[in-house]
Amino acid sequence: MKVLISGGGTGGHIFPALSIAAAIRRRHPDAEILFVGAEGRMEMERVPAAGYRITGLPVSGFDRKHLWRNVRVAWRLFKSMRMARRLVREFRPDIAVGVGGYASGPTLKAAQRAGVPTLLQEQNSYPGVTNKMLAAGAGRICVAYPGLDRFFPAEKIVLTGNPVRAGLLDCALSAEEAKKRLGFDSSRPLLLVVGGSLGARTVNQAIIDNALDGSVAAGGFQLLWQTGKSDGARCEAVMEAKKPADVRATMFISDMDVAYRAADLVVARAGAGTISELQLLGLPTILVPSPNVAEDHQRKNAEALVSKDAASMVLDKDAPERLWPEVERLMADADARAALAGNIRKMALENSDERIVDEIDRLV
């Protein structure tokens, strides 16, 4: 079987794509898999590192603030469409899978025009423009939230959930053991703050303004803070100056399975992949949706959980004033955390990668 997988741009698109590829390989060891990404985006490094071939297209997103720049964007799109048509003609895939992101538009459209069956994987509760444009020609649309028949043909939709990063569900440590592994006191609650792979400046500022003056120790808990690379130097400088007790900051957490297992409460962005991980692990969470995403889809993702009492939400613009009081409220209330954990776990969809490969096999 020859499979074309296209998309990327962020970890939220890349991790599901790699999970789908791994599930295909488990079931079809001889499958030939080719990824198509956007030049200069993170998939051009992450996919080869995972052992797969990838081809890059010069496609980029439209600039909504500087419309005159879209002349170059349109040229790149035209060039990418020509390259995608040639790629489909030469590779001759049995199926093309789109996970969202710039490259999936021209690639999946070229596959559809060539009569190749296509499957879309939509991670969010509010679909992106690319998947909405491709939906009419798709054979199957795998989604993570109910109710997307508002955007897609109902007969094509299958509720599969989002595949998550390999290994996150395999941690065999207890919460106490995980805390010790990370260098924390195993007897006290741990707050985990993560802003995504690049960090979140607003969330970081809320921590700087509220959490480094002794309030963490005073609240009887501990803090593991992933700052992200882009804001890491600034946060490290503040940590060095204040030297707060019971707080550890790092630009990147490599052992997220251990960090999740140790956490009693998580503060995170509301990307689809992150939410799927939190659902499967049943972790009480405060979501701070990023405002810098298309269609404001992170806020809609968060609202889907809040409507079921499965998470708390603090808007990015309100984070400086509201985030830390909400942290302190939940860290002081184990029953409230347990209620959130139970409700978010009910929303989990397991074995999503295998369910998606079931649909791939049916289409092929």
Side-chain angles (χ1 to χ4, degrees):
M1 184 163 67
K2 300 178 80 171
V3 184
L4 202 59
I5 302 178
S6 184
T10 66
H13 293 311
I14 296 167
F15 292 133
L18 291 173
S19 295
I20 293 168
I24 292 170
R25 278 275 167 83
R26 287 195 299 271
R27 195 175 301 185
H28 305 286
D30 297 329
E32 188 176 351
I33 300 172
L34 176 63
F35 280 78
V36 182
E39 292 177 352
R41 305 292 289 187
M42 62 190 296
E43 59 265 26
M44 301 307 293
E45 295 181 4
R46 297 289 181 88
V47 170
Y52 299 97
R53 287 195 298 140
I54 187 167
T55 295
L57 302 180
V59 65
S60 59
F62 282 92
D63 191 328
R64 292 176 173 85
K65 292 183 179 179
H66 309 94
L67 295 180
W68 58 271
R69 292 181 181 172
N70 290 320
V71 174
R72 179 182 291 181
V73 172
W75 167 247
R76 287 175 175 168
L77 177 60
F78 174 72
K79 187 177 179 181
S80 296
M81 290 173 68
R82 289 180 58 189
M83 291 175 64
R85 285 197 295 270
R86 185 172 68 248
L87 191 152
V88 168
R89 188 168 60 247
E90 293 175 354
F91 184 64
R92 300 179 64 188
D94 294 297
I95 188 165
V97 178
V99 297
Y102 301 141
S104 65
T107 305
L108 270 288
K109 180 57 72 174
Q112 290 174 351
R113 286 175 175 169
V116 176
T118 57
L119 178 144
L120 304 179
Q121 202 259 321
E122 175 54 61
Q123 295 102 24
N124 295 291
S125 62
Y126 191 89
V129 173
T130 301
N131 276 352
K132 284 192 281 190
M133 290 174 59
L134 293 168
R140 198 81 79 248
I141 304 169
C142 296
V143 302
Y145 293 89
L148 266 68
D149 52 355
R150 295 175 294 154
F151 309 103
F152 299 135
E155 68 277 6
K156 298 182 179 183
I157 295 174
V158 180
L159 187 63
T160 60
N162 286 323
V164 300
R165 286 178 280 184
L168 279 184
L169 307 179
D170 299 334
C171 183
L173 299 175
S174 67
E176 292 75 17
E177 290 169 339
K179 286 172 186 171
K180 285 183 180 178
R181 174 81 63 87
L182 295 169
F184 289 98
D185 184 341
S186 63
S187 66
R188 288 190 292 149
L190 178 69
L191 168 68
L192 172 63
V193 175
V194 289
S197 56
L198 298 177
R201 190 175 180 88
T202 309
V203 173
N204 287 343
Q205 193 60 50
I207 298 300
I208 289 170
D209 291 344
N210 298 282
L212 307 184
D213 59 357
S215 60
V216 171
F221 59 94
Q222 307 163 96
L223 167 60
L224 176 56
W225 173 27
Q226 179 181 287
T227 65
K229 282 187 177 181
S230 59
D231 204 20
R234 181 177 74 102
C235 297
E236 282 187 355
V238 176
M239 283 286 293
E240 182 62 29
K242 295 195 173 185
K243 293 183 171 60
D246 299 320
V247 179
R248 198 181 110 213
T250 180
M251 291 189 192
F252 181 73
I253 299 172
S254 56
D255 299 326
M256 276 304 298
D257 56 337
V258 179
Y260 275 146
R261 185 57 55 93
D264 293 272
L265 177 68
V266 179
V267 173
R269 287 304 203 189
T274 298
I275 286 178
S276 294
E277 292 170 357
L278 296 166
Q279 288 172 335
L280 286 164
L281 294 167
L283 287 170
T285 305
I286 302 171
L287 296 170
V288 186
S290 171
N292 306 312
V293 294
E295 313 285 345
D296 199 21
H297 68 254
Q298 285 205 7
R299 181 175 63 83
K300 297 179 176 84
N301 289 348
E303 287 172 345
L305 273 68
V306 172
S307 68
K308 298 181 182 296
D309 295 320
S312 175
M313 179 177 72
V314 175
L315 294 179
D316 190 81
K317 65 182 179 63
D318 299 329
E321 291 79 31
R322 289 196 51 220
L323 179 56
W324 197 249
E326 184 66 359
V327 164
E328 292 184 314
R329 180 184 76 82
L330 287 171
M331 290 305 288
D333 191 340
D335 290 340
R337 295 199 307 272
L340 289 177
N343 290 334
I344 197 171
R345 185 66 184 84
K346 290 175 185 174
M347 297 182 72
L349 293 169
E350 297 182 344
N351 303 315
S352 298
D353 53 356
E354 295 291 340
R355 295 185 188 199
I356 291 169
V357 177
D358 288 342
E359 300 305 321
I360 289 172
D361 284 350
R362 290 188 182 106
L363 285 175
V364 172

mmCIF file of all heavy atoms in Angstrom, residues 212-239:
data_model
loop_
_atom_site.group_PDB
_atom_site.id
_atom_site.type_symbol
_atom_site.label_atom_id
_atom_site.label_comp_id
_atom_site.label_asym_id
_atom_site.label_seq_id
_atom_site.Cartn_x
_atom_site.Cartn_y
_atom_site.Cartn_z
ATOM 1 N N LEU A 212 6.213 33.777 41.752
ATOM 2 C CA LEU A 212 7.622 33.719 42.123
ATOM 3 C C LEU A 212 7.949 34.533 43.368
ATOM 4 O O LEU A 212 9.109 34.815 43.655
ATOM 5 C CB LEU A 212 8.494 34.199 40.943
ATOM 6 C CG LEU A 212 8.244 33.487 39.609
ATOM 7 C CD1 LEU A 212 9.227 33.977 38.555
ATOM 8 C CD2 LEU A 212 8.328 31.971 39.758
ATOM 9 N N ASP A 213 6.919 34.887 44.121
ATOM 10 C CA ASP A 213 7.117 35.704 45.329
ATOM 11 C C ASP A 213 6.865 34.915 46.604
ATOM 12 O O ASP A 213 6.623 35.479 47.658
ATOM 13 C CB ASP A 213 6.197 36.923 45.291
ATOM 14 C CG ASP A 213 4.721 36.534 45.207
ATOM 15 O OD1 ASP A 213 4.440 35.314 45.118
ATOM 16 O OD2 ASP A 213 3.858 37.427 45.225
ATOM 17 N N GLY A 214 6.864 33.586 46.486
ATOM 18 C CA GLY A 214 6.623 32.748 47.662
ATOM 19 C C GLY A 214 5.221 32.198 47.744
ATOM 20 O O GLY A 214 4.918 31.416 48.652
ATOM 21 N N SER A 215 4.350 32.569 46.805
ATOM 22 C CA SER A 215 2.953 32.126 46.903
ATOM 23 C C SER A 215 2.796 30.638 46.624
ATOM 24 O O SER A 215 1.847 30.017 47.092
ATOM 25 C CB SER A 215 2.068 32.930 45.957
ATOM 26 O OG SER A 215 2.488 32.781 44.617
ATOM 27 N N VAL A 216 3.705 30.048 45.852
ATOM 28 C CA VAL A 216 3.635 28.605 45.599
ATOM 29 C C VAL A 216 3.882 27.832 46.895
ATOM 30 O O VAL A 216 3.092 26.970 47.287
ATOM 31 C CB VAL A 216 4.660 28.192 44.521
ATOM 32 C CG1 VAL A 216 4.743 26.677 44.417
ATOM 33 C CG2 VAL A 216 4.286 28.784 43.170
ATOM 34 N N ALA A 217 4.967 28.166 47.571
ATOM 35 C CA ALA A 217 5.267 27.508 48.844
ATOM 36 C C ALA A 217 4.184 27.794 49.877
ATOM 37 O O ALA A 217 3.779 26.911 50.643
ATOM 38 C CB ALA A 217 6.632 27.967 49.358
ATOM 39 N N ALA A 218 3.687 29.040 49.886
ATOM 40 C CA ALA A 218 2.641 29.403 50.851
ATOM 41 C C ALA A 218 1.356 28.624 50.605
ATOM 42 O O ALA A 218 0.607 28.324 51.540
ATOM 43 C CB ALA A 218 2.363 30.910 50.771
ATOM 44 N N GLY A 219 1.108 28.288 49.340
ATOM 45 C CA GLY A 219 -0.090 27.524 49.008
ATOM 46 C C GLY A 219 0.058 26.037 49.256
ATOM 47 O O GLY A 219 -0.902 25.283 49.075
ATOM 48 N N GLY A 220 1.245 25.607 49.642
ATOM 49 C CA GLY A 220 1.452 24.205 49.980
ATOM 50 C C GLY A 220 1.636 23.289 48.788
ATOM 51 O O GLY A 220 1.518 22.067 48.912
ATOM 52 N N PHE A 221 1.929 23.872 47.606
ATOM 53 C CA PHE A 221 2.143 23.032 46.446
ATOM 54 C C PHE A 221 3.464 23.375 45.773
ATOM 55 O O PHE A 221 4.259 24.166 46.284
ATOM 56 C CB PHE A 221 0.956 23.128 45.465
ATOM 57 C CG PHE A 221 0.659 24.515 44.933
ATOM 58 C CD1 PHE A 221 1.185 24.957 43.729
ATOM 59 C CD2 PHE A 221 -0.187 25.381 45.645
ATOM 60 C CE1 PHE A 221 0.901 26.211 43.233
ATOM 61 C CE2 PHE A 221 -0.481 26.643 45.158
ATOM 62 C CZ PHE A 221 0.068 27.060 43.947
ATOM 63 N N GLN A 222 3.726 22.751 44.614
ATOM 64 C CA GLN A 222 4.973 22.912 43.880
ATOM 65 C C GLN A 222 4.646 23.221 42.424
ATOM 66 O O GLN A 222 3.532 22.953 41.970
ATOM 67 C CB GLN A 222 5.806 21.624 43.973
ATOM 68 C CG GLN A 222 6.029 21.143 45.396
ATOM 69 C CD GLN A 222 6.471 19.696 45.444
ATOM 70 O OE1 GLN A 222 7.661 19.402 45.524
ATOM 71 N NE2 GLN A 222 5.533 18.767 45.404
ATOM 72 N N LEU A 223 5.624 23.753 41.690
ATOM 73 C CA LEU A 223 5.374 24.187 40.314
ATOM 74 C C LEU A 223 6.480 23.705 39.386
ATOM 75 O O LEU A 223 7.665 23.971 39.623
ATOM 76 C CB LEU A 223 5.284 25.721 40.254
ATOM 77 C CG LEU A 223 5.330 26.383 38.869
ATOM 78 C CD1 LEU A 223 4.175 25.912 37.992
ATOM 79 C CD2 LEU A 223 5.310 27.909 39.013
ATOM 80 N N LEU A 224 6.083 23.002 38.325
ATOM 81 C CA LEU A 224 6.972 22.674 37.213
ATOM 82 C C LEU A 224 6.502 23.511 36.033
ATOM 83 O O LEU A 224 5.372 23.374 35.560
ATOM 84 C CB LEU A 224 6.906 21.186 36.871
ATOM 85 C CG LEU A 224 7.724 20.736 35.654
ATOM 86 C CD1 LEU A 224 9.191 21.105 35.793
ATOM 87 C CD2 LEU A 224 7.560 19.231 35.429
ATOM 88 N N TRP A 225 7.388 24.380 35.530
ATOM 89 C CA TRP A 225 7.017 25.425 34.582
ATOM 90 C C TRP A 225 7.836 25.275 33.301
ATOM 91 O O TRP A 225 9.031 25.487 33.313
ATOM 92 C CB TRP A 225 7.249 26.765 35.261
ATOM 93 C CG TRP A 225 7.099 28.005 34.435
ATOM 94 C CD1 TRP A 225 6.333 28.184 33.328
ATOM 95 C CD2 TRP A 225 7.730 29.269 34.702
ATOM 96 N NE1 TRP A 225 6.441 29.478 32.872
ATOM 97 C CE2 TRP A 225 7.289 30.169 33.694
ATOM 98 C CE3 TRP A 225 8.607 29.721 35.686
ATOM 99 C CZ2 TRP A 225 7.724 31.481 33.647
ATOM 100 C CZ3 TRP A 225 9.029 31.040 35.641
ATOM 101 C CH2 TRP A 225 8.591 31.905 34.641
ATOM 102 N N GLN A 226 7.147 24.895 32.208
ATOM 103 C CA GLN A 226 7.815 24.865 30.910
ATOM 104 C C GLN A 226 7.627 26.233 30.252
ATOM 105 O O GLN A 226 6.516 26.616 29.887
ATOM 106 C CB GLN A 226 7.242 23.778 30.000
ATOM 107 C CG GLN A 226 7.907 23.757 28.628
ATOM 108 C CD GLN A 226 7.344 22.700 27.713
ATOM 109 O OE1 GLN A 226 7.588 21.515 27.897
ATOM 110 N NE2 GLN A 226 6.577 23.113 26.718
ATOM 111 N N THR A 227 8.730 26.945 30.079
ATOM 112 C CA THR A 227 8.658 28.320 29.572
ATOM 113 C C THR A 227 8.592 28.398 28.063
ATOM 114 O O THR A 227 8.127 29.394 27.506
ATOM 115 C CB THR A 227 9.892 29.117 30.029
ATOM 116 O OG1 THR A 227 11.062 28.549 29.426
ATOM 117 C CG2 THR A 227 10.035 29.071 31.540
ATOM 118 N N GLY A 228 9.089 27.365 27.357
ATOM 119 C CA GLY A 228 9.250 27.445 25.919
ATOM 120 C C GLY A 228 10.561 28.134 25.558
ATOM 121 O O GLY A 228 11.112 28.902 26.353
ATOM 122 N N LYS A 229 11.053 27.864 24.364
ATOM 123 C CA LYS A 229 12.352 28.412 23.961
ATOM 124 C C LYS A 229 12.312 29.912 23.741
ATOM 125 O O LYS A 229 13.217 30.647 24.123
ATOM 126 C CB LYS A 229 12.828 27.730 22.674
ATOM 127 C CG LYS A 229 13.407 26.347 22.882
ATOM 128 C CD LYS A 229 14.008 25.821 21.590
ATOM 129 C CE LYS A 229 14.651 24.458 21.811
ATOM 130 N NZ LYS A 229 15.254 23.944 20.565
ATOM 131 N N SER A 230 11.252 30.399 23.091
ATOM 132 C CA SER A 230 11.233 31.799 22.672
ATOM 133 C C SER A 230 11.255 32.767 23.849
ATOM 134 O O SER A 230 11.737 33.893 23.724
ATOM 135 C CB SER A 230 9.998 32.073 21.799
ATOM 136 O OG SER A 230 8.811 31.773 22.506
ATOM 137 N N ASP A 231 10.750 32.339 25.001
ATOM 138 C CA ASP A 231 10.683 33.204 26.184
ATOM 139 C C ASP A 231 11.572 32.679 27.311
ATOM 140 O O ASP A 231 11.553 33.211 28.425
ATOM 141 C CB ASP A 231 9.220 33.280 26.656
ATOM 142 C CG ASP A 231 8.917 34.543 27.450
ATOM 143 O OD1 ASP A 231 9.677 35.530 27.330
ATOM 144 O OD2 ASP A 231 7.927 34.539 28.194
ATOM 145 N N GLY A 232 12.354 31.645 26.999
ATOM 146 C CA GLY A 232 13.094 30.954 28.052
ATOM 147 C C GLY A 232 14.141 31.795 28.738
ATOM 148 O O GLY A 232 14.269 31.761 29.972
ATOM 149 N N ALA A 233 14.906 32.573 27.977
ATOM 150 C CA ALA A 233 15.988 33.367 28.565
ATOM 151 C C ALA A 233 15.441 34.392 29.549
ATOM 152 O O ALA A 233 16.009 34.592 30.635
ATOM 153 C CB ALA A 233 16.786 34.052 27.459
ATOM 154 N N ARG A 234 14.358 35.042 29.181
ATOM 155 C CA ARG A 234 13.752 36.040 30.078
ATOM 156 C C ARG A 234 13.271 35.386 31.369
ATOM 157 O O ARG A 234 13.511 35.901 32.470
ATOM 158 C CB ARG A 234 12.582 36.722 29.363
ATOM 159 C CG ARG A 234 11.882 37.807 30.183
ATOM 160 C CD ARG A 234 10.788 38.465 29.366
ATOM 161 N NE ARG A 234 9.622 37.623 29.208
ATOM 162 C CZ ARG A 234 8.492 37.769 29.909
ATOM 163 N NH1 ARG A 234 8.394 38.745 30.808
ATOM 164 N NH2 ARG A 234 7.459 36.987 29.710
ATOM 165 N N CYS A 235 12.590 34.245 31.242
ATOM 166 C CA CYS A 235 12.070 33.561 32.428
ATOM 167 C C CYS A 235 13.205 33.055 33.313
ATOM 168 O O CYS A 235 13.114 33.125 34.549
ATOM 169 C CB CYS A 235 11.157 32.407 32.012
ATOM 170 S SG CYS A 235 9.680 32.926 31.101
ATOM 171 N N GLU A 236 14.273 32.557 32.711
ATOM 172 C CA GLU A 236 15.420 32.080 33.489
ATOM 173 C C GLU A 236 16.073 33.218 34.264
ATOM 174 O O GLU A 236 16.502 33.037 35.405
ATOM 175 C CB GLU A 236 16.439 31.417 32.568
ATOM 176 C CG GLU A 236 16.051 30.014 32.144
ATOM 177 C CD GLU A 236 17.165 29.317 31.372
ATOM 178 O OE1 GLU A 236 18.198 29.969 31.088
ATOM 179 O OE2 GLU A 236 16.999 28.123 31.054
ATOM 180 N N ALA A 237 16.139 34.391 33.655
ATOM 181 C CA ALA A 237 16.724 35.549 34.331
ATOM 182 C C ALA A 237 15.906 35.937 35.554
ATOM 183 O O ALA A 237 16.462 36.261 36.616
ATOM 184 C CB ALA A 237 16.830 36.729 33.365
ATOM 185 N N VAL A 238 14.590 35.886 35.419
ATOM 186 C CA VAL A 238 13.722 36.211 36.561
ATOM 187 C C VAL A 238 13.871 35.160 37.657
ATOM 188 O O VAL A 238 13.935 35.485 38.848
ATOM 189 C CB VAL A 238 12.252 36.321 36.108
ATOM 190 C CG1 VAL A 238 11.347 36.563 37.305
ATOM 191 C CG2 VAL A 238 12.083 37.434 35.089
ATOM 192 N N MET A 239 13.937 33.890 37.258
ATOM 193 C CA MET A 239 14.131 32.819 38.229
ATOM 194 C C MET A 239 15.443 33.001 38.991
ATOM 195 O O MET A 239 15.506 32.829 40.215
ATOM 196 C CB MET A 239 14.125 31.465 37.522
ATOM 197 C CG MET A 239 12.761 30.961 37.119
ATOM 198 S SD MET A 239 11.778 30.358 38.517
ATOM 199 C CE MET A 239 12.729 28.906 38.998
#
